[in-house]
Amino acid sequence: MGIVAPDRLMAAGRYVITPAGLYAIAALRVGMGLVLMLVAPTSRAPKTLRAVGAVVLVAGLATPLFGVDRARAIADWGAAQGPALLRGVAGVMLAIGSFIAFAVAADRRPA
């Protein structure tokens, strides 16, 4: 969505920037980080996937520390930069997601 319609993603992001929304985002990030770290040993790239999971986990733990005002300031700054920045960040996130999908996919080679 960030690549195709960055303005809509920013609008959705502003809707979530509330105290409850930040806690929900934090819980989601912590959960995703834990899942990535738990599945890392059985993946194609265990060290890298464990590192990505750790980064996501730390980001989840840090999310509530930012607070609503700082999160809004960051969102406003991102919106002021224009859609190219959001598209670039979305492209990087797409690449990371593609790597995760590759790393956890079953090996298709015959045994």
Side-chain angles (χ1 to χ4, degrees):
M1 183 154 182
I3 294 172
V4 177
D7 294 335
R8 288 186 181 180
L9 183 61
M10 286 301 293
R14 290 177 198 271
Y15 180 74
V16 176
I17 300 177
T18 64
L22 288 181
Y23 285 120
I25 291 169
L28 182 65
R29 285 180 176 175
V30 167
M32 288 172 45
L34 287 173
V35 167
L36 289 173
M37 292 175 72
L38 290 173
V39 301
T42 61
S43 71
R44 295 179 179 178
K47 290 180 183 177
T48 306
L49 201 58
R50 190 175 295 122
V52 170
V55 169
V56 173
L57 178 69
V58 170
L61 294 173
T63 298
L65 302 177
F66 272 80
V68 174
D69 293 334
R70 186 172 291 168
R72 280 196 183 123
I74 292 169
D76 291 341
W77 178 84
Q81 303 306 309
L85 176 71
L86 190 56
R87 284 189 172 117
V89 171
V92 170
M93 294 297 117
L94 179 64
I96 292 170
S98 298
F99 165 75
I100 292 170
F102 164 78
V104 300
D107 193 9
R108 293 181 185 233
R109 290 179 279 165

